[in-house]
Amino acid sequence: MGKLIYAANTSLDGYLEDETGAFEWSVPDEAVHAFWNEHERGIGTSLYGRRMYETMRVWEDDDWLTDEPAVVREYAGIWRDADKVVYSTTLDAVSTARTRIERTFDPEAVRRLKEESVTDLSVGGASLGAEAFRHGLVDECVLLLWPVTVGGGKPALPRGVRLDLELLDTRRFANGVVHVRHAVRRAI
């Protein structure tokens, strides 16, 4: 059985992006990128909302990767190797391999997907992540806390949901980013 892992870059004050939708403050250096590569290597299926999928699908195209560092090119391969489920009522088609569209988020279907999976799954995006937390589907929460406050924007964790967590792991990067990994014991 696979675990469902919510993973995100977040400002120290708890936002995925600022009030204008910007998140350039979370561009990873080589060490942080290598961390994400290792994390994503264990993911067999990624669950995305439409906006997160549209942000991530850049990894399907090789054209821009030619002059990028090896760690960036490696991530593209890892991303392509994972299955992707996009939850959207507005997206007509997907433009990436190993990707399918689901029109509604069905918690029971996600439970079955977890039960049938031999690898872990990830959920990306604030709205979809919030739904997964509300339905008690998230098993672990992996956050990279960036040494910046943005004062408002899109919250990294759902509002109105209490999460009882158990700290599993931490790591400090040279650039000041701090990794925290928690097991979700209970969502209320």
Side-chain angles (χ1 to χ4, degrees):
M1 179 169 164
K3 295 178 292 196
L4 183 60
I5 302 170
Y6 174 76
N9 290 301
T10 180
S11 64
L12 195 56
D13 54 348
Y15 296 98
L16 298 174
E17 55 189 48
D18 68 19
E19 291 174 335
T20 68
F23 52 91
E24 81 289 340
W25 44 267
S26 66
V27 173
D29 64 11
E30 190 167 320
V32 172
H33 218 303
F35 168 85
W36 279 127
N37 288 4
E38 192 57 35
H39 170 78
E40 291 294 317
R41 203 178 317 282
I43 302 299
T45 304
S46 296
L47 311 179
Y48 294 127
R50 181 192 52 83
R51 284 192 60 216
M52 180 59 80
Y53 170 70
E54 288 175 341
T55 299
M56 297 300 290
R57 70 182 177 194
V58 67
W59 296 104
E60 189 80 5
D61 185 16
D62 279 332
D63 294 342
W64 69 278
L65 290 169
T66 308
D67 297 326
E68 293 296 321
V71 70
V72 174
R73 292 190 313 274
E74 179 185 26
Y75 183 84
I78 295 166
W79 189 83
R80 291 174 195 162
D81 287 344
D83 293 326
K84 292 157 272 297
V85 180
V86 182
Y87 295 89
S88 175
T89 58
T90 59
L91 196 61
D92 292 327
V94 293
S95 59
T96 57
R98 302 182 68 151
T99 307
R100 75 177 198 267
I101 297 175
E102 292 289 338
R103 295 297 174 202
T104 60
F105 182 79
D106 179 356
E108 290 309 313
V110 174
R111 278 188 184 87
R112 284 191 303 276
L113 190 59
K114 286 173 53 174
E115 289 170 2
E116 295 167 0
S117 183
V118 295
T119 59
D120 289 337
L121 302 91
S122 71
V123 58
S127 297
L128 190 63
E131 281 302 304
F133 277 115
R134 283 187 187 98
H135 289 284
L137 295 168
V138 178
D139 301 296
E140 287 187 9
C141 184
V142 173
L143 299 175
L144 289 191
L145 306 174
W146 288 77
V148 62
T149 61
V150 298
K154 186 179 287 185
L157 294 169
R159 303 286 189 219
V161 176
R162 176 183 166 165
L163 301 172
D164 290 338
L165 307 171
E166 175 187 339
L167 183 64
L168 299 175
D169 195 15
T170 63
R171 177 178 173 189
R172 183 187 185 283
F173 293 88
N175 66 358
V177 170
V178 176
H179 157 249
V180 292
R181 180 174 146 243
H182 289 89
V184 178
R185 291 293 163 223
R186 187 172 58 155
I188 302 172

